[in-house]
Amino acid sequence: MSSIPQTISSPKDDFPIKVILVENEDFVVVNFLKKFGQKLHIKVISNLDECLEFVKNTYPPDAIIIARNLGGIKFLETIRKDNWTKNLPVILTSDHVTPGLIKEIIEKKGDDIYPKDFSSGDLVTRLEYFIKRRHYVASQQTKSNILEVKIPFWKRFIDVSTTGLALLLLSPLLIIISILIKLDSKGPIVYKSKRVGAGYKIFEIYKFRTMRTDADQLIKNMESLNMYTKGTTEAKTDGLCDECALIGSCQQRLYLDGEETCEKVYLNKKKEKVAFMKFQNDPRITKLGRFLRNSSIDELPQLFNIFLGDMSLIGNRPLPLYEAEKLTTDDYIERFAGPGGLTGLWQVTKRGKGKKDMTEQERIELDIEYARNFSFKYDLKIFFMTFPALLQSENV
């Protein structure tokens, strides 16, 4: 539908491209998994409503591929109305691709259309372009002169002096916590993720890791404990059906969610699939990680971010890229005109006053209020409000 700009530099990818395939025809799904399963991280959803609910409550994928006959046009119209998903890449599939259909997809702001068997076009290259486009837009925002945030000397002096002293005094604690994380579970000690701070500057924020690296596999292994699970089919721990198990290797191999599975096992599980998963405790969070989160100790590595100048002690919380993308209008962009911070006005308002259900709009309004009014006196007030707020029992 559109040519790929050659000037966009490729971002460094640490994870496979993640896509949601919305399709209910087993033949189409199996063919898609065979063709792209080793190249993509694929989640299969069988209907429009489930996909909308998933996108609403989960970190967005790199793209959504949805069948036109499952309400693809309606889905497209729905997510384009929401700031949260208006820029989410959407590809439609159809049995027949016609010039009229292509025109309709363009008018509805769809990103592309493919035949259901993907017999034409290079899907992986197209998906790589979507990722490059997102990084390009973010980098353009960074280069923009719309927001030039100047950190006052007094604020930077306080940040450097306090965090420098804190890192020196807390170094034994940081070392102990690092050792405990390493002993508690496999994986890196520090978790890094890209955030957008003051003036739309993009940087990597540091936290102590609080989740297991095998979270997805852990949830799959706990399916038998799910209170909503139906049927009594015994799970295949080796990922093989009975016929393939006799041979000793899979003869109908598929790749789903980055893992190898047997086509027959996949189809049987699909028939028995339940819509909901419910566990008493989130299996992703480690035992130590739960304590680190509740005590906010997991935030301590951000002292390095402050010392380096990525953010400040007090300010508006730096946002993940997918959240910052939807706050580029005149009404919202002002929240990036204030310094980014470890703690800020909305955090102490929420925790300190027990506001568990603060809306996104309320958060933005508080961020804008801080950006307009921050001062030495205001920062001092927020700083002293932070300590009693941390004693709240809310799991943050």
Side-chain angles (χ1 to χ4, degrees):
M1 285 174 61
S2 59
S3 60
I4 300 176
Q6 299 300 314
T7 57
I8 301 177
S9 60
S10 176
K12 181 180 179 181
D13 294 324
D14 296 322
F15 302 97
I17 299 172
K18 296 183 179 180
V19 300
I20 293 177
L21 175 67
V22 187
E23 179 58 73
N24 62 0
E25 296 181 33
D26 291 342
F27 177 77
V28 175
V29 173
V30 169
N31 278 346
F32 187 86
L33 295 177
K34 286 180 178 178
K35 195 166 188 176
F36 301 108
Q38 288 182 284
K39 300 176 181 178
L40 308 174
H41 195 289
I42 304 163
K43 179 175 180 60
V44 179
I45 294 179
S46 59
N47 63 78
L48 181 147
D49 291 334
E50 184 182 347
C51 184
L52 285 172
E53 188 66 21
F54 182 88
V55 172
K56 178 182 177 182
N57 297 309
T58 311
Y59 190 97
D62 293 307
I64 293 178
I65 302 170
I66 182 169
R68 181 184 177 229
N69 64 304
L70 289 182
I73 300 294
K74 178 184 176 182
F75 175 83
L76 193 54
E77 292 173 338
T78 301
I79 69 166
R80 289 296 183 253
K81 293 177 183 177
D82 192 339
N83 279 332
W84 173 258
T85 55
K86 68 179 181 181
N87 296 320
L88 182 62
V90 177
I91 294 174
L92 272 73
T93 62
S94 178
D95 292 317
H96 304 286
V97 179
T98 63
L101 181 57
I102 293 175
K103 182 179 178 182
E104 183 181 14
I105 300 302
I106 293 175
E107 291 175 349
K108 301 295 183 181
K109 298 182 179 179
D111 292 277
D112 218 329
I113 182 166
Y114 282 80
K116 279 196 173 185
D117 60 0
F118 289 88
S119 56
S120 62
D122 189 335
L123 176 64
V124 176
T125 299
R126 188 66 171 149
L127 293 171
E128 288 173 345
Y129 161 66
F130 292 149
I131 296 175
K132 293 174 185 177
R133 183 178 66 182
R134 172 170 287 188
H135 281 254
Y136 176 75
V137 171
S139 66
Q140 289 300 102
Q141 287 284 359
T142 304
K143 295 174 184 177
S144 170
N145 292 323
I146 295 175
L147 293 173
E148 278 198 43
V149 181
K150 294 183 178 180
I151 305 299
F153 174 78
W154 62 264
K155 192 171 183 66
R156 184 68 186 133
F157 175 78
I158 292 174
D159 289 340
V160 173
S161 58
T162 54
T163 54
L165 180 61
L167 287 170
L168 185 63
L169 296 176
L170 293 173
S171 55
L173 176 62
L174 297 176
I175 293 172
I176 292 171
I177 293 172
S178 299
I179 295 172
L180 291 175
I181 291 173
K182 208 65 180 174
L183 293 175
D184 186 49
S185 61
K186 293 181 179 180
I189 295 171
V190 175
Y191 168 78
K192 296 186 291 185
S193 66
K194 291 192 180 298
R195 296 295 173 94
V196 180
Y200 233 87
K201 175 189 174 184
I202 300 173
F203 65 96
E204 284 192 330
I205 200 169
Y206 307 127
K207 284 188 176 185
F208 280 128
R209 180 176 58 83
T210 59
M211 287 190 175
R212 295 179 56 143
T213 55
D214 60 345
D216 293 339
Q217 184 60 44
L218 187 63
I219 291 176
K220 289 178 183 179
N221 292 339
M222 292 178 67
E223 284 182 355
S224 60
L225 303 178
N226 179 17
M227 63 179 294
Y228 295 116
T229 299
K230 56 184 178 180
T232 58
T233 301
E234 184 179 350
K236 303 287 184 181
T237 57
D238 55 4
L240 302 177
C241 64
D242 293 333
E243 294 178 13
C244 294
L246 291 174
I247 301 173
S249 63
C250 183
Q251 306 302 302
Q252 299 169 303
R253 186 175 302 166
L254 295 179
Y255 288 88
L256 179 65
D257 290 335
E259 295 182 2
E260 183 178 318
T261 187
C262 177
E263 180 179 329
K264 286 190 176 182
V265 171
Y266 166 75
L267 293 174
N268 287 334
K269 283 185 176 181
K270 183 178 178 183
K271 291 177 182 177
E272 299 176 357
K273 182 181 177 183
V274 293
F276 304 100
M277 297 288 285
K278 184 175 181 180
F279 305 107
Q280 186 174 1
N281 296 305
D282 188 341
R284 299 175 302 165
I285 304 175
T286 64
K287 293 179 180 179
L288 178 62
R290 199 172 302 280
F291 166 74
L292 296 178
R293 285 188 173 198
N294 289 341
S295 61
S296 295
I297 291 177
D298 64 318
E299 308 276 358
L300 285 180
Q302 289 167 51
L303 292 173
F304 287 100
N305 286 117
I306 298 170
F307 188 79
L308 295 172
D310 296 326
M311 52 194 282
S312 181
L313 272 174
I314 312 295
N316 292 333
R317 194 74 177 134
L319 299 179
L321 290 177
Y322 71 92
E323 282 192 38
E325 279 183 332
K326 60 178 179 172
L327 300 179
T328 56
T329 63
D330 292 340
D331 293 335
Y332 297 146
I333 193 69
E334 195 176 353
R335 65 91 57 203
F336 295 103
L342 180 65
T343 185
L345 184 58
W346 81 260
Q347 287 97 330
V348 297
T349 301
K350 178 179 180 179
R351 294 178 178 176
K353 296 184 179 180
K355 289 176 69 68
K356 293 184 179 181
D357 300 317
M358 180 177 287
T359 66
E360 181 184 30
Q361 186 62 36
E362 287 176 318
R363 274 184 54 178
I364 296 170
E365 289 174 358
L366 288 171
D367 286 343
I368 292 174
E369 179 184 332
Y370 176 79
R372 289 174 177 173
N373 303 306
F374 80 90
S375 64
F376 177 77
K377 184 178 179 180
Y378 205 8
D379 277 17
L380 204 61
K381 177 182 177 182
I382 293 173
F383 179 77
F384 285 112
M385 288 175 65
T386 299
F387 292 100
L390 288 174
L391 299 177
Q392 298 296 312
S393 60
E394 179 192 357
N395 181 5
V396 294

